[in-house]
Amino acid sequence: MARFLLMRLVQSVFTLFLVLAVVFVIARVAGDPVTLLVTFDASQADIDRLREELGLSDPLPQQFVRFMGDALRGDFGTSFRTNRPAMNEVLERVPASARLAGLSLAFSLAISLPLGVLAAVSRGSVVDLFARFLALVGQAAPNFWLGLMLIFFFAVRLGWLPTGGRGGLDHMVLPAIALGTAGAASITRLTRSALLDVLNSDFVVMARAKGLPRRTVIFKHALRNALIPVVTILGLRIGTVISGSVIVETIFAWPGVGRLIIQAINVSDFPVVQAAVTLTASAVILANLLTDIAYMLVDPRIRYVRS
Amino acid sequence: MSENYWSKFGHDRLSRRQALRAAGVTGVGLAGAALIGCGSSDEDAAPAVTQATAAAGSTTAAAPAPVSQLTDATLTSAIASDIGSGDPQSLGGTGGGNWPNTSTHFGGSGLVSTDQETRKIIPNVATSWEEAPDHLSIVFKLRDNAYFHNGDQLTAEDVKFSMDRGALGQAEYNLEYKGGHSSQYSAIVDHAEVIDDSTVKFVLKKPDVIFLNRGLFLVPKKHIESVGDVAYAEHPVGGGVFQFVSRIPDSEIVSERFDRFHADFGDPTGYHPSYIKKLVQKVIPDNQARFAALQAGEVDLIDKISPDIAGQLAKDDKFKVFNLPGTQPMHIHINTALENDPESGKPNPWRDKRVRMAANLAVDLDGIINNILTGAEALSFGSASSSVGFPKDLPSKRWAYDVEAAKKLMAEAGYADGFDAVLNLPVGRWPNSRQVSEVIAQSLTEIGIRTRIQELQYQEVTTRFKDDSLYPLSFWGMAGGDDPGANFRYGYHSAGNYTMSVPDPEVDALIEKSELEFDKAARAELLGQIMTKFYLDAQWIFLYEPVQQVATTNKWDWTFWAKTLGDPEYWNIKPAKA
C-alpha cells in the first residue's frame, strides 16, 4: 500500500510539473503582456522599463526557473488588472466555487443514487424507462443551455428564484442544478448498470437464498459493492465540475474561480490565469489521488503493479 | 434578425398594440429621440430606440437640472464587467476594467473639459490656463472649491502628485504603482511645479499641441500617501460624480451621489450631481442573463446588449432601448510595411493602391450595419466624424459597395486570378466582430482575395502589431475622440506603434506639421487633409463606428448629454414622471 501511495504521489507531482510548464509556455507564446499595460502611444523607454520591472526581459530559461521557484511558494506575480497578488485573487474565489461545486455534487448524488437504484431493481418498468430517459436528456443537455432555461422558467417566468449573482442558498439553487445535472445523469446510469451486475452475482443469489429481506440484500450487500465504480466517477466529476463551472459561473454571475479564469483570459491577465489553472489542476490531481486511495480502501485487491 | 432564448418563449407576452404603444411612449418621453428600425419581423411594430446623436443636438434639453430635481432614487444596473481596479491611474492601456466607474465616477473631472457642441476645450477643475510663447510650459489656475470625496480640497499639490505618480514615476512614496493611463505624458512632460495652492505649472520636454486633450486623472495626494496604493485601489477616493461605497469583486459595486460635484464646480462642463442618490451595479457577464435580470425586475438597466435582444426589448412597452454612438471606429488594418508576403515570398499585393481600393469597394457596409449590427452605426472614415478637423465633404467620397468596379481594379492591378489572404481577428475583443469578419472574408473572396479568418489572442495581436508581423489584414478598432492627433501619431505615422504601413512621406509630413501647429483653424485644416488623404489612399478597409445598446425599464428617463458615449450616463438618468 505504501508503495502504491508513493508511486501515485510521484505521478501527481510530475503531472503538476507538466501543468506548470505548459502554463508557463502558453503565457509566453501568446505575446508580450507589456503591450496591454501601456497606452498605444507609449514610448519604447516606457515599454522597456515595465518589461524590466516584470522580469520579462530575462532569458526564457531564467524566467522558467524563477517561475517554478515562485510557483512552489504560491507566488504567481501580480495581477495586471488589479495590481494585487494573483494567487490571492484566486484564493478569494475558492470558497464560492467550492460551495457551488459541493452543492452540485450533493444534488447529483441526491438525484442519481435513488433513481439508479430504483431503475435497477425495477428493470424494464416505467420507472426504469423514466430514469433512463432523464439520464439521457441530462447528459445530452449542455449546461449553458440548461442554465439559461432554468433562469427563464424559475426566475423570469415564475419569479421563484433570483437569476443569479452572489447571495444565499436561493442564489445557488439554479447554478447547482445546471452544474450537477450532467453528473446526476451519468451517476444514475452507472449506479443502475453496476447494481444490475451485482444483483446477478452469486453472493446476492446466496443472500436471497438465505431468505434475507429484499431491502437488506439491495442496500447492505448489493449497493455497497455497486458503489465502487461510482466512487471512481465521483472523483472524476471534480474535474468536470471545475471545467463546467467556468461556463455556469459566467451565466449565473457567480463570482467563483471559473468566472475569474474567463475574465482573466479576456484581458490577458496571465498571472491570474497561471495561478487559477495551477490551483484547479492541483485540485483535480488531488481529487484523483484521493479517489485512487478511496478505491483501494473500498477494494483491497487493488494494488500498484509495475507494467 | 435572429431570435434569442427568451423571445422564443415570450411571444405571448407582446401584442401588436403593446408594441405600437412602446414606440409612442418612448418617442414622446425623450426629447428629440429618433425612432429607427431594427429589422424586426413584425413590420407594424416600430421598435422604440433612442439614439444619442439626435438628443445631443439639443443641448438645452439635456442641460443640467437644478439641485431641487435631485431624487432619493436608487438605480440598479447590470453591467457586463467589473472594474479591474478602483485606481483611475492604474488602468492599463487596454487591460480591461470598467471605465465609467474608475474614471468618471470615482476618478472625477480633469483639469479641462470639452464643450459638447463646439468641441472646444473649456474650463473644468482649472478655471484658466496659460501657455508659454514657446509652448514649453503651461500654467493652470485651479478652482478654490474643488473637493475630493473625503472632503479634502483639491490643490496644486494634488495635481502635481497626479502627474508625478501617474505619468512620470516621480512620486517619492511610489509603493506599488505600475504603468497606467497617464504613461502617455512621460515622453512629453519634464516635471510639474507647484506655484501656490491653486496654481500649478507643467514644464514640457517638447511642445505638445494636444496637451489639453490628454486626460490626467486627478487623485488625492494626502489620502494615497496615507493609505497606500493597494488600499486606495480597493476603496477609491476621487472627485467624480459618484463616491465609492462598497464593492464585492465580480458581484456588485455600490456608489452614492457626490453632492459637491457640481454645486461647487459651477457649470462649465454640463456635469452636475446625479439625479439618483444611489447606484448599485451588479456584474452579470452573460448577455442573456442580463436580459433575464431586466425581465425579472431585478435590475433597472442593462448595458452591452446584443442587437437581437435590443430588438425584442424595443417592442415591449415596459422597456426602453438606447443606442450609444461609440468612440472607437473599426477598420481592417492592412499591412503594407512588409515588402513581400512572408509565406509565399511574392511581392506584397496590398502595396498596390488599386488592391486596397478594390477591397474597400468589395465590402457591403450598409448590409453589415443593417443586418448584423444595430443599423445605427455611422460609417468610419478612419477617425470619428466628431473629431476636430473632420472634412464635411469626406462622406460624399466614400468607397461605396461596387463589386464589378472592385474586380476591374483587381484585374488592372494584375490580380485577376486573385491571391490568398489572412484576416487576423482578436478573439472576443469587439462585439459582433466574428460575424462581421466572416462577411468581409466572403466579400473579399468574391473579388478574388481568398480570405480565411485566423483568430488570435488580443495580446498576440498587440505584440505583432509592433513588429509589423501581423500580415496582411487585421480586424482592429482605434480610439476616436475629440482630437485625432495622438491617433495619427501611433496609427498613421510611419513611426507609430500601430501603423504597419509603408511610409508615406506626405502623410508623415502633414502629421509632423500638425503637431507643431498651434493655430486651431490651421491645425484643423491639416487634420482634415490627413484624414482625406489616408482615406482616399485606402490605407485600411474602413468599416463603422460601433454603437452600444443599453436598455432600461420604462420607469427611467434619460436624455443624452454627450454626443458620443462609451457607457451609460448614470448621473443623467432620472426616475420617469408618473
Side-chain angles (χ1 to χ4, degrees):
Chain A
M1 185 168 172
R3 180 179 166 76
F4 174 81
L5 279 177
L6 186 67
M7 289 312 296
R8 288 294 292 116
L9 208 58
V10 170
Q11 285 172 0
S12 299
V13 170
F14 182 67
T15 309
L16 191 59
F17 174 80
L18 286 182
V19 167
L20 284 169
V22 169
V23 161
F24 173 84
V25 170
I26 286 176
R28 265 84 189 157
V29 298
D32 184 357
V34 171
T35 59
L36 298 175
L37 296 174
V38 295
T39 47
F40 286 138
D41 54 349
S43 66
Q44 192 58 45
D46 271 343
I47 293 170
D48 292 342
R49 175 184 59 81
L50 200 52
R51 189 175 284 128
E52 189 73 31
E53 282 179 13
L54 296 172
L56 296 170
S57 50
D58 298 331
L60 272 182
Q62 193 177 332
Q63 287 186 45
F64 182 69
V65 170
R66 190 172 56 235
F67 170 77
M68 293 302 283
D70 291 343
L72 287 175
R73 293 194 300 275
D75 180 2
F76 288 85
T78 306
S79 164
F80 295 158
R81 187 163 162 270
T82 64
N83 217 18
R84 300 177 64 226
M87 188 49 94
N88 286 9
E89 294 275 311
V90 181
L91 289 174
E92 282 173 5
R93 310 299 180 95
V94 168
S97 282
R99 280 205 303 274
L100 185 58
L103 194 63
S104 76
L105 283 174
F107 166 77
S108 298
L109 287 175
I111 296 290
S112 60
L113 287 181
L115 206 57
V117 171
L118 270 176
V121 298
S122 52
R123 184 181 186 183
S125 68
V126 176
V127 174
D128 184 26
L129 279 174
F130 178 70
R132 285 159 64 190
F133 175 74
L134 275 187
L136 190 69
V137 172
Q139 278 193 304
N143 56 16
F144 69 88
W145 177 84
L146 185 64
L148 290 169
M149 290 299 102
L150 290 169
I151 290 174
F152 175 72
F153 284 111
F154 294 103
V156 177
R157 278 279 184 176
L158 301 173
W160 291 353
L161 293 162
T163 56
R166 184 189 170 108
L169 192 63
D170 56 337
H171 285 78
M172 293 173 64
V173 173
L174 296 183
I177 293 173
L179 194 56
T181 297
S186 62
I187 296 171
T188 300
R189 287 167 68 101
L190 192 66
T191 305
R192 177 185 174 276
S193 62
L195 193 56
L196 280 175
D197 284 346
V198 175
L199 286 173
N200 290 325
S201 61
D202 292 343
F203 76 93
V204 172
V205 175
M206 172 63 78
R208 280 181 181 160
K210 281 162 64 180
L212 289 176
R214 181 180 160 86
R215 182 177 296 176
T216 308
V217 172
I218 291 171
F219 290 102
K220 193 170 179 186
H221 296 276
L223 188 58
R224 280 183 64 177
N225 285 282
L227 282 182
I228 294 173
V230 176
V231 169
T232 311
I233 206 80
L234 262 180
L236 298 176
R237 284 296 308 166
I238 302 282
T240 315
V241 164
I242 288 171
S243 60
S245 71
V246 171
I247 296 164
V248 171
E249 286 180 1
T250 300
I251 289 171
F252 287 96
W254 185 257
V257 176
R259 208 171 123 206
L260 182 69
I261 291 174
I262 289 285
Q263 201 174 48
I265 288 172
N266 281 343
V267 297
S268 299
D269 191 351
F270 281 105
V272 172
V273 174
Q274 288 172 342
V277 169
T278 304
L279 195 74
T280 51
S282 304
V284 172
I285 290 167
L286 185 65
N288 284 343
L289 181 64
L290 292 176
T291 303
D292 284 350
I293 294 170
Y295 200 68
M296 193 178 65
L297 293 174
V298 174
D299 186 350
R301 292 169 298 178
I302 295 168
R303 289 289 180 270
Y304 175 78
V305 177
R306 187 191 293 267
S307 60
Chain B
M1 182 174 290
S2 62
E3 286 189 307
N4 57 69
Y5 288 112
W6 315 136
S7 64
K8 285 173 185 166
F9 293 88
H11 281 153
D12 59 319
R13 293 156 50 88
L14 179 76
S15 68
R16 178 170 294 185
R17 183 176 296 173
Q18 283 174 317
L20 283 168
R21 199 186 310 144
V25 166
T26 312
V28 171
L30 295 163
L35 303 179
I36 61 161
C38 262
S40 165
S41 57
D42 186 348
E43 59 185 17
D44 288 337
V49 181
T50 302
Q51 292 186 92
T53 44
S58 52
T59 305
T60 49
V67 174
S68 60
Q69 287 190 22
L70 304 184
T71 72
D72 287 332
T74 295
L75 187 143
T76 305
S77 71
I79 56 176
S81 58
D82 191 11
I83 56 174
S85 165
D87 182 347
Q89 289 194 319
S90 79
L91 290 167
T94 49
N98 191 302
W99 276 79
N101 280 313
T102 41
S103 55
T104 312
H105 293 184
F106 307 143
S109 301
L111 288 168
V112 295
S113 185
T114 306
D115 185 291
Q116 290 298 304
E117 283 303 304
T118 63
R119 316 309 294 170
K120 285 183 180 169
I121 301 294
I122 54 175
N124 198 29
V125 168
T127 54
S128 62
W129 54 92
E130 189 176 344
E131 281 187 73
D134 60 1
H135 304 291
L136 286 174
S137 68
I138 182 164
V139 176
F140 289 93
K141 194 77 182 168
L142 309 179
R143 294 184 178 280
D144 59 5
N145 57 355
Y147 293 94
F148 290 111
H149 297 148
N150 63 353
D152 287 353
Q153 188 173 345
L154 191 155
T155 67
E157 285 287 354
D158 296 302
V159 178
K160 173 178 161 46
F161 176 78
S162 301
M163 179 61 81
D164 288 349
R165 174 183 191 255
L168 308 177
Q170 293 174 356
E172 286 177 3
Y173 82 103
N174 235 359
L175 299 172
E176 302 285 343
Y177 182 76
K178 284 192 181 78
H181 177 265
S182 301
S183 62
Q184 58 178 304
Y185 282 112
S186 58
I188 297 157
V189 178
D190 184 73
H191 66 278
E193 293 172 16
V194 172
I195 308 295
D196 58 45
D197 271 0
S198 62
T199 313
V200 65
K201 178 180 181 181
F202 293 132
V203 178
L204 311 187
K205 294 174 183 170
K206 59 182 181 183
D208 182 26
V209 70
I210 57 169
F211 186 81
L212 293 173
N213 292 87
R214 300 182 188 273
L216 175 67
F217 291 122
L218 303 176
V219 293
K221 178 175 189 280
K222 278 185 199 163
H223 180 74
I224 294 179
E225 286 182 337
S226 148
V227 303
D229 287 318
V230 174
Y232 174 68
E234 289 175 358
H235 193 123
V237 168
V241 66
F242 289 105
Q243 51 189 330
F244 180 88
V245 174
S246 64
R247 173 184 173 229
I248 302 168
D250 257 358
S251 287
E252 190 177 272
I253 306 161
V254 179
S255 51
E256 280 187 348
R257 177 168 62 217
F258 179 41
D259 289 327
R260 299 176 95 167
F261 183 70
H262 171 72
D264 286 342
F265 280 29
D267 180 20
T269 66
Y271 280 139
H272 57 92
S274 65
Y275 287 106
I276 56 171
K277 171 74 175 168
K278 188 175 178 184
L279 175 63
V280 179
Q281 294 167 289
K282 293 178 181 291
V283 184
I284 305 180
D286 185 76
N287 181 45
Q288 298 280 353
R290 286 198 298 283
F291 179 35
L294 185 72
Q295 286 198 311
E298 293 177 7
V299 299
D300 305 301
L301 179 150
I302 55 175
D303 74 356
K304 296 182 174 65
I305 52 177
S306 58
D308 58 332
I309 286 179
Q312 293 301 314
L313 286 170
K315 289 190 243 172
D316 191 331
D317 63 358
K318 292 201 292 289
F319 306 107
K320 297 174 182 176
V321 175
F322 300 86
N323 286 337
L324 282 53
T327 54
Q328 192 173 41
M330 308 304 301
H331 65 270
I332 303 294
H333 215 98
I334 299 175
N335 186 333
T336 54
L338 297 181
E339 200 170 332
N340 297 310
D341 182 323
E343 281 189 19
S344 68
K346 293 177 183 172
N348 180 351
W350 296 96
R351 285 193 159 194
D352 191 318
K353 180 180 171 183
R354 289 167 296 186
V355 172
R356 301 196 301 271
M357 288 163 64
N360 273 281
L361 291 170
V363 179
D364 179 8
L365 277 181
D366 294 328
I368 289 174
I369 288 170
N370 289 319
N371 297 314
I372 298 178
L373 305 172
T374 69
E377 286 77 8
L379 295 176
S380 163
F381 294 87
S383 189
S385 55
S386 57
S387 298
V388 172
F390 185 81
K392 300 300 176 203
D393 63 336
L394 193 51
S396 66
K397 300 173 184 170
R398 66 170 286 199
W399 299 110
Y401 178 53
D402 189 339
V403 174
E404 290 311 312
K407 285 179 178 171
K408 196 175 164 193
L409 280 167
M410 288 288 285
E412 284 175 17
Y415 295 104
D417 295 333
F419 56 85
D420 296 330
V422 174
L423 172 53
N424 298 292
L425 174 65
V427 181
R429 183 69 190 177
W430 292 285
N432 306 304
S433 58
R434 174 78 209 191
Q435 296 97 310
V436 172
S437 294
E438 281 172 4
V439 173
I440 291 169
Q442 283 176 7
S443 303
L444 296 179
T445 301
E446 200 177 333
I447 63 164
I449 303 172
R450 296 175 293 276
T451 307
R452 70 177 171 86
I453 295 171
Q454 174 174 270
E455 290 191 309
L456 298 172
Q457 280 292 322
Y458 184 68
Q459 184 183 3
E460 183 175 358
V461 176
T462 56
T463 303
R464 291 176 58 188
F465 247 110
K466 297 206 168 174
D467 60 11
D468 293 342
S469 67
L470 211 56
Y471 182 86
L473 306 173
S474 306
F475 195 97
W476 197 246
M478 194 172 77
D482 295 324
D483 194 294
N487 296 348
F488 289 168
R489 166 53 68 172
Y490 73 75
Y492 283 24
H493 193 280
S494 59
N497 286 339
Y498 287 80
T499 304
M500 289 203 310
S501 299
V502 65
D504 181 338
E506 193 180 335
V507 168
D508 284 359
L510 282 169
I511 291 171
E512 286 158 16
K513 194 175 173 189
S514 74
E515 289 173 342
L516 296 171
E517 180 56 74
F518 282 79
D519 179 84
K520 288 184 172 52
R523 183 161 178 276
E525 173 67 24
L526 285 168
L527 295 175
Q529 286 178 31
I530 295 165
M531 289 180 216
T532 302
K533 174 149 180 46
F534 200 81
Y535 182 79
L536 296 182
D537 279 349
Q539 293 290 357
W540 300 338
I541 302 173
F542 299 90
L543 300 179
Y544 51 86
E545 295 176 17
V547 162
Q548 193 210 143
Q549 295 193 293
V550 169
T552 67
T553 63
N554 61 7
K555 295 173 184 168
W556 299 91
D557 278 343
W558 173 18
T559 305
F560 302 119
W561 173 73
K563 276 199 166 183
T564 56
L565 288 164
D567 290 283
E569 295 169 318
Y570 289 109
W571 54 271
N572 199 21
I573 300 173
K574 57 186 172 184
K577 288 175 184 167

